[in-house]
């Protein structure tokens, strides 16, 4: 089981060495921007690196949106992110599920997700990540994820399980992996984060492990059950300790 960190993109390999991370996750551009990722001067070094590198797609992506001005740019930047991830030899691209609007039909959001994946031209694996909040989210509650998966399962899409997001959504962590595997057949990556807020809050505020509201044993149970690579998306200060705590307790 590889244990790693989400790090600043300027020197991911150096950051991995400093933290003792066995895998890393980075953004390839501004996560709050529609701008195409710029080519990296260190692309060859990243591609030749011994550790897996995961890429988190921009937060703005919402391929389920009924709004063309959101959905079309979302598809475009997802394609560009996959292309840029391929250039550095990344393991996968992680993308949030997005949401529909109050007056939209959930089923239409699922169809838009399917169309987005069908239009994607890449061999780069894409992992859907469960999200923390939103009344009309495509991947907040596990039962909604199940309905979405009915539309996209045969595309080969993977799944990233975030502990803080599941907690914020009000899902039981002790059975999270079993339920998700029952839906998707897989957990390809775990985002291992504690939460600053209470269960069911809908708030996406990560905390360093053992410092937040989630029972540490529940977090360990998710990691053990998933058996997948782990990325801690916690604060820079304390993240090295998070990895050490996981190693000491798993």
């Amino acid at each position: 089981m590889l244990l790693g960190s989400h790090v600043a993109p300027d020197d991911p390999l150096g950051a991995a060495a400093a933290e003792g991370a066995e895998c890393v996750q980075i953004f390839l551009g501004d996560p709050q921007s529609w701008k195409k990722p710029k080519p990296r001067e260190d692309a060859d070094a990243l591609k030749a690196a011994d550790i897996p590198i995961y890429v988190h797609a921009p937060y703005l992506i919402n391929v389920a949106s009924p709004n063309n001005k959101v959905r079309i740019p979302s598809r475009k930047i997802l394609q560009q992110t996959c292309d840029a991830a391929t250039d550095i030899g990344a393991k996968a691209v992680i993308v949030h599920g997005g949401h529909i609007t109050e007056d939209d039909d959930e089923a239409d959001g699922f169809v838009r997700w399917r169309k987005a994946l069908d239009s994607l031209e890449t061999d780069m694996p894409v992992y859907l990540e469960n999200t923390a909040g939103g009344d009309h989210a495509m991947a907040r509650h596990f039962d909604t994820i199940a309905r979405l998966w009915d539309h996209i399962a045969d595309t080969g899409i993977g799944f990233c399980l975030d502990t803080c997001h599941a907690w914020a959504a009000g899902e039981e962590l002790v059975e999270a992996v079993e339920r998700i595997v029952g839906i998707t057949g897989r957990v390809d990556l775990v985002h291992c984060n504690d939460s600053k807020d209470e269960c069911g809050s809908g708030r996406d505020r990560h905390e360093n492990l053992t410092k937040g509201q989630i029972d540490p044993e529940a977090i360990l149970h998710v990691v053990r059950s998933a058996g997948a690579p782990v990325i801690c998306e916690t604060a820079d200060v304390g993240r090295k300790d998070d990895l050490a705590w996981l190693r000491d307790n798993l």
Side-chain angles (χ1 to χ4, degrees), residues 195-216:
S195 174
K196 294 180 182 292
D197 301 291
E198 67 277 7
C199 184
S201 68
R203 299 188 186 99
D204 184 8
R205 298 202 303 159
H206 299 181
E207 180 60 281
N208 291 101
L209 304 183
T210 76
K211 305 298 183 184
Q213 300 289 321
I214 306 177
D215 180 355

Side-chain angles (χ1 to χ4, degrees), residues 5-21 24 26 51 239 243:
S5 303
H6 181 99
V7 299
D10 52 336
D11 182 17
L13 300 182
E19 296 189 16
V24 292
I26 58 173
I51 67 172
R239 192 169 54 235
L243 294 180

Side-chain angles (χ1 to χ4, degrees), residues 66-79:
N67 186 342
N68 288 343
K69 294 182 179 179
V70 174
R71 187 176 67 258
I72 293 174
S74 293
R75 290 185 184 180
K76 182 177 180 181
I77 193 65
L78 180 58
Q79 178 70 62

Side-chain angles (χ1 to χ4, degrees), residues 7 12 18 31 58 80 105 123 128 140 147 169 196 217 221 234 249:
V7 299
Q80 292 169 338
D105 190 324
D123 292 326
L128 172 68
R140 177 187 182 186
R147 293 191 293 275
K196 294 180 182 292
E217 286 301 319
H221 179 76
T234 49
N249 288 278

Side-chain angles (χ1 to χ4, degrees), residues 9-131:
D10 52 336
D11 182 17
L13 300 182
E19 296 189 16
E22 299 160 334
C23 54
V24 292
Q25 179 179 275
I26 58 173
F27 290 112
L28 290 178
D30 183 347
Q32 300 289 358
S33 171
W34 295 110
K35 291 183 179 179
K36 178 181 179 180
K38 295 180 180 179
R40 293 185 61 107
E41 294 181 0
D42 61 350
D44 289 340
L46 295 179
K47 188 176 289 188
D50 292 333
I51 67 172
I53 300 173
Y54 294 89
V55 170
H56 200 303
Y59 295 132
L60 296 177
I61 291 176
N62 182 7
V63 299
S65 175
N67 186 342
N68 288 343
K69 294 182 179 179
V70 174
R71 187 176 67 258
I72 293 174
S74 293
R75 290 185 184 180
K76 182 177 180 181
I77 193 65
L78 180 58
Q79 178 70 62
Q80 292 169 338
T81 300
C82 287
D83 293 343
T86 299
D87 290 342
I88 66 166
K91 183 76 171 176
V93 168
I94 294 87
V95 61
H96 287 179
H99 58 274
I100 58 172
T101 53
E102 184 176 4
D103 58 348
D104 195 21
D105 190 324
E106 182 184 74
D108 291 335
F110 300 154
V111 170
R112 294 183 198 111
W113 245 105
R114 175 65 193 228
K115 288 181 177 178
L117 293 175
D118 284 344
S119 67
L120 199 58
E121 297 180 356
T122 185
D123 292 326
M124 175 59 54
V126 174
Y127 298 166
L128 172 68
E129 178 182 354
N130 62 305
T131 50

Side-chain angles (χ1 to χ4, degrees), residues 184-205:
T184 67
R186 59 200 295 170
V187 173
D188 298 279
L189 184 68
V190 172
H191 281 171
C192 187
N193 308 305
D194 208 331
S195 174
K196 294 180 182 292
D197 301 291
E198 67 277 7
C199 184
S201 68
R203 299 188 186 99
D204 184 8
R205 298 202 303 159

